[in-house]
Amino acid sequence: MTVLVNVIVTLGMLYVVPAGLRLIDPVHLLRTARLWPLAAAPGALCLWLPRGLPATALAALYAAACLALAARAPVRLLRARPLTPPAIAVATALVSPSISATALVCERAGYRLFGFDLDILALTVPHFHFAGFTAALVAGLVCRAVSGRAGTDGLACWAACSVPAGTLLVLLGYFVDDWAELLGAVVLTGGMWAVALLTWREIRPTGPDRTTRTLLATSAAVLVATMLLALWWAAGEATGIPHPTLTWMAATHGLGNALGFALCSVLAWRRLTAEAITADARAAQARTAQARTADRPDRRPGDRPAPAPRTPSDRVEISS
């Protein structure tokens, strides 16, 4: 299980988080996104070292970067007027890596934070990279994309609010009891299934090409299965009914969410964003051409302007 979890976490640290930051704010977070792999490299490296001081020091470097990222969340919330569900989802995404990094530092140090087993701390790291960062990010993106559409606005707002709420309830469940964690799993699953439904029904058909639509369809379909597994596990912990082991959950729920949902979603949304930027650029060029045509009513669109007559000063003399 350890190797699989480490691979999943490495993927989240080095690619999913910086790619997600570009989706959140391609202007103000661009520098952070470009530098993030450098900040995350110590965290990824410490996963493959034995517990001890070197691994803990490397994890602490990554934690410092995550805490700096989390500090941006309240600033963005204060600037968001009025406070919207996508803004709440984005703030949750920005804070989540710091929770993962805190658990990582304690696990690498062999310290049982709040009395939790080291295995639970180790699983907290991928959980808040994907169920925290990526899930909240995608919920916010979906809500922003379908906002204002008849029949979907309410569901989109529910998704953008319930994913952060469910993530918080799951975290609180660690400190309360298994029933509280089950409640968090129910809320989080409801939000993620709403994200899947909106992705399949509203976002997927607008994909500019087959690859983008396939990525979106995969991310939506995978969520149905992986979140059902999460419900099964949480219900088993609370009620005692037979349920998957943590190793089995890492190989199914964890791997499915990391590759099928998180990676496919980020790749798809990057393609959607690139297409939107290209469309905006084309529209701007068309407006500019139209404005120039309006200034010269005798010219038709596509006509090249006639060259200006040359004057003696325009000639270039080549001396022998």
Side-chain angles (χ1 to χ4, degrees):
M1 181 181 75
T2 301
V3 173
L4 179 60
V5 171
N6 289 349
V7 170
I8 292 173
V9 173
T10 300
L11 172 67
M13 288 179 174
L14 296 180
Y15 179 75
V16 173
V17 171
L21 293 177
R22 292 174 184 267
L23 294 173
I24 291 174
D25 191 336
V27 177
H28 298 96
L29 291 178
L30 179 60
R31 180 179 175 84
T32 303
R34 287 175 174 172
L35 296 177
W36 191 263
L38 296 177
L45 178 60
C46 81
L47 297 169
W48 305 96
L49 297 178
R51 294 190 182 106
L53 185 58
T56 305
L58 291 173
L61 292 176
Y62 178 60
C66 291
L67 290 172
L69 182 64
R72 291 176 175 262
V75 176
R76 293 184 67 90
L77 286 177
L78 289 174
R79 290 177 179 174
R81 289 291 182 271
L83 189 61
T84 61
I88 296 172
V90 165
T92 303
L94 293 175
V95 170
S96 293
S98 64
I99 300 174
S100 295
T102 301
L104 179 64
V105 171
C106 295
E107 190 273 334
R108 294 287 79 193
Y111 175 68
R112 297 179 60 186
L113 181 66
F114 301 118
F116 291 118
D117 292 337
L118 296 182
D119 287 342
I120 298 297
L121 292 176
L123 292 175
T124 301
V125 180
H127 180 80
F128 279 92
H129 272 97
F130 295 102
F133 178 84
T134 313
L137 167 65
V138 174
L141 291 173
V142 169
C143 182
R144 186 171 61 188
V146 305
S147 178
R149 296 187 189 180
T152 61
D153 197 40
L155 184 62
C157 290
W158 153 256
C161 292
S162 61
V163 170
T167 302
L168 178 61
L169 287 172
V170 170
L171 179 61
L172 293 176
Y174 289 175
F175 302 95
V176 182
D177 57 23
D178 292 333
W179 286 100
E181 190 171 352
L182 174 59
L183 175 61
V186 169
V187 175
L188 180 59
T189 299
M192 294 310 296
W193 280 351
V195 169
L197 177 61
L198 291 168
T199 298
W200 181 274
R201 194 176 65 185
E202 303 293 332
I203 308 298
R204 179 185 58 85
T206 65
D209 51 55
R210 180 178 297 179
T211 300
T212 304
R213 292 191 295 270
T214 300
L215 289 169
L216 290 168
T218 301
S219 68
V222 165
L223 272 182
V224 177
T226 56
M227 296 312 297
L228 189 60
L229 287 170
L231 277 180
W232 183 12
W233 185 85
E237 289 289 299
T239 65
I241 64 173
H243 59 284
T245 63
L246 287 177
T247 300
W248 201 80
M249 285 293 290
T252 54
H253 169 81
L255 190 62
N257 270 345
L259 300 181
F261 166 64
L263 183 60
C264 288
S265 292
V266 169
L267 290 173
W269 279 98
R270 289 197 67 177
R271 294 173 69 90
L272 288 171
T273 303
E275 179 65 21
I277 293 174
T278 302
D280 290 342
R282 290 173 179 170
Q285 290 177 353
R287 288 192 298 268
T288 302
Q290 188 176 15
R292 289 176 177 174
T293 303
D295 293 338
R296 292 282 305 277
D298 57 320
R299 286 178 51 198
R300 293 174 299 175
D303 288 347
R304 297 183 62 182
R310 299 184 64 181
T311 62
S313 60
D314 294 329
R315 299 188 182 95
V316 178
E317 298 182 358
I318 302 176
S319 59
S320 57

